Amino acid sequence: MAGVQTAVALREQGFTGPVTVIGAEPHQPYDRPPLSKAVLLGEAEGSAFDIDFEALDIELRLGLDVTGLRAAAHELDTASGPVPYDVLVIATGAEPVVLPGTEGVPGVHLLRTLDDAARLRPVLDERHDVVVVGAGWIGAEFATAARAAGCTVTVLEAADRPLAGALPAEVAAPMAAWYAESGAELLTGARVDRVEPGRVVLADGREIPAGAVVVGIGARPATGWLAGSGIGLGPDGSVTADAALCTSLPDVYAVGDCASFPSARYGERLLVHHWDNALQGPRTVAAGIVAADGDRPAPPAYDPVPYFWSEQFDRFVQYAGHHEGADTLLWRGDPADPAWSVCWLRDGVLVAVLAVGRPRDLAQGRRLVEAGARIDPVRAADPSVPLKSTTL
């Protein structure tokens, strides 16, 4: 998403020089969200972007691994030899974290690429007993698809609740009931000791039958190939871009899942592994390149309100903002009901909103977060009051 959108944005903003997109995968550039839904369930064969690259005069070099960056020479090292650049945009995304000890074990899968989804479709078609390791966003979405396909599903989560790394305990805990409602079994506090053909062995000795194992325990920026390049990386492995998404190297930008950026709105550096960030960031990168290439003003600082969504267990979950550092949590509705929301405030200002089946709350809340709006906590806690009517 980030690489393709950068190329398209360059053309939309009037850049006329050569544009080349290099990708390690052999497939036409594609969108990832359908992989855990329509593509996985066989309802769609693929999710290629509907973009006429030839008409836009964008060259695609697919199935080409980039192995290194030599900034002094302005060259990339690839399996087919060096590739020179005037301006480079790093949009290598993130790669899934592998469960230690599972490399090469038959029946163990990840879900990140089109090929991953293609390998998993027969698993669902044959209705295997499926074990999902990790009750995060991707684990929940895959469990949803597997149950829809008629598979027996067991989800193993090392923490005491789903989404432990993403949401506070009081918000994530009610989501545990969604698994049982769908017919999936969620085991929390379940640490995997090892995976063997046909079973998963937990640290406490329990054995879980497994015709297939799907690992969804997080992702990290795909930046290992930058070792020795001199580019600045953060402790999380992200390329540490500035507010214009420029890196520490001249003529090199970074965007999407592989890059972190400073947020003045939240007072910290953010690494956002979500689709919307890969859609918005490229506009800033393209504007910066076009400005440097001519006499246009530099773009404003990149400081979006992070946004993502997840479709799981017949629920549409949306989130906007960043709740770290919030001092007040407000419920809008009962989490036992099909639809409810949560608002986070910091010093009375709305900084994040999570909406389950309440898209209006999300849309209004997102605008209020963007505006830095101060809201009335009493009125905001009343789900019958529109969020837009709670400002002070």
Side-chain angles (χ1 to χ4, degrees):
M1 170 62 93
V4 164
Q5 290 300 327
T6 300
V8 171
L10 282 165
R11 292 299 187 223
E12 290 176 344
Q13 296 186 33
F15 183 79
T16 58
V19 176
T20 302
V21 176
I22 299 176
E25 294 183 63
H27 311 290
Q28 283 290 112
Y30 60 87
D31 207 5
R32 293 190 189 278
L35 298 185
S36 61
K37 306 171 185 74
V39 174
L40 188 61
L41 289 170
E43 297 166 359
E45 286 304 311
S47 56
F49 291 113
D50 185 17
I51 296 170
D52 190 335
F53 292 100
E54 186 175 354
L56 291 172
D57 193 22
I58 295 170
E59 180 186 2
L60 298 180
R61 298 190 64 180
L62 305 176
L64 180 61
D65 273 314
V66 176
T67 57
L69 164 60
R70 287 178 289 112
H74 267 55
E75 285 184 342
L76 295 171
D77 291 323
T78 78
S80 298
V83 174
Y85 67 85
D86 294 315
V87 176
L88 172 67
V89 180
I90 299 172
T92 46
E95 54 196 5
V97 176
V98 176
L99 186 65
T102 60
E103 297 90 337
V105 177
V108 177
H109 301 264
L110 300 169
L111 180 53
R112 179 73 181 180
T113 68
L114 186 60
D115 288 338
D116 291 337
R119 283 188 287 267
L120 277 165
R121 274 174 59 174
V123 170
L124 301 192
D125 290 343
E126 295 163 17
R127 299 188 177 182
H128 282 286
D129 289 345
V130 176
V131 171
V132 181
V133 182
W137 301 114
I138 193 66
E141 292 190 4
F142 180 80
T144 299
R147 285 299 300 141
C151 298
T152 300
V153 178
T154 303
V155 181
L156 308 177
E157 172 55 53
D160 62 355
R161 62 187 186 278
L163 294 167
L167 295 172
E170 61 265 46
V171 178
M175 298 176 176
W178 300 356
Y179 289 79
E181 289 174 14
S182 76
E185 183 178 13
L186 172 64
L187 301 179
T188 56
R191 295 188 175 276
V192 175
D193 179 70
R194 62 189 184 277
V195 178
E196 300 174 348
R199 65 177 183 171
V200 176
V201 181
L202 302 183
D204 61 10
R206 283 180 291 173
E207 297 182 2
I208 313 297
V213 176
V214 178
V215 178
I217 55 174
R220 60 169 61 98
T223 55
W225 65 281
L226 291 167
S229 67
I231 200 163
L233 300 178
D236 53 13
S238 67
V239 178
T240 50
D242 65 13
L245 299 181
C246 298
T247 74
S248 61
L249 295 179
D251 305 318
V252 180
Y253 295 77
V255 66
D257 288 7
C258 69
S260 59
F261 57 90
S263 171
R265 185 191 311 276
Y266 292 106
E268 61 182 285
R269 178 168 289 275
L270 299 182
L271 173 61
V272 181
H273 280 185
H274 293 296
W275 184 93
D276 190 66
N277 179 50
L279 175 67
Q280 294 196 60
R283 299 167 190 158
T284 294
V285 171
I289 293 171
V290 171
D293 196 46
D295 55 2
R296 296 194 199 179
Y302 184 65
D303 195 5
V305 173
Y307 166 75
F308 70 88
W309 78 94
S310 176
E311 296 174 68
Q312 54 182 269
F313 308 121
D314 296 323
R315 290 169 172 86
F316 188 45
V317 183
Q318 294 174 283
Y319 177 98
H322 181 64
H323 64 268
E324 296 295 330
D327 52 42
T328 303
L329 186 152
L330 301 175
W331 288 92
R332 287 172 57 81
D334 186 338
D337 292 338
W340 48 274
S341 300
V342 172
C343 296
W344 286 269
L345 311 183
R346 185 175 61 203
D347 297 328
V349 174
L350 184 66
V351 294
V353 58
L354 171 81
V356 178
R358 290 179 64 99
R360 187 170 298 176
D361 276 5
L362 189 288
Q364 294 179 8
R366 187 178 185 182
R367 287 192 289 270
L368 293 176
V369 173
E370 287 173 344
R374 186 176 299 276
I375 66 173
D376 180 341
V378 175
R379 288 176 57 76
D382 183 346
S384 68
V385 176
L387 269 180
K388 65 181 180 181
S389 301
T390 66
T391 55
L392 294 173

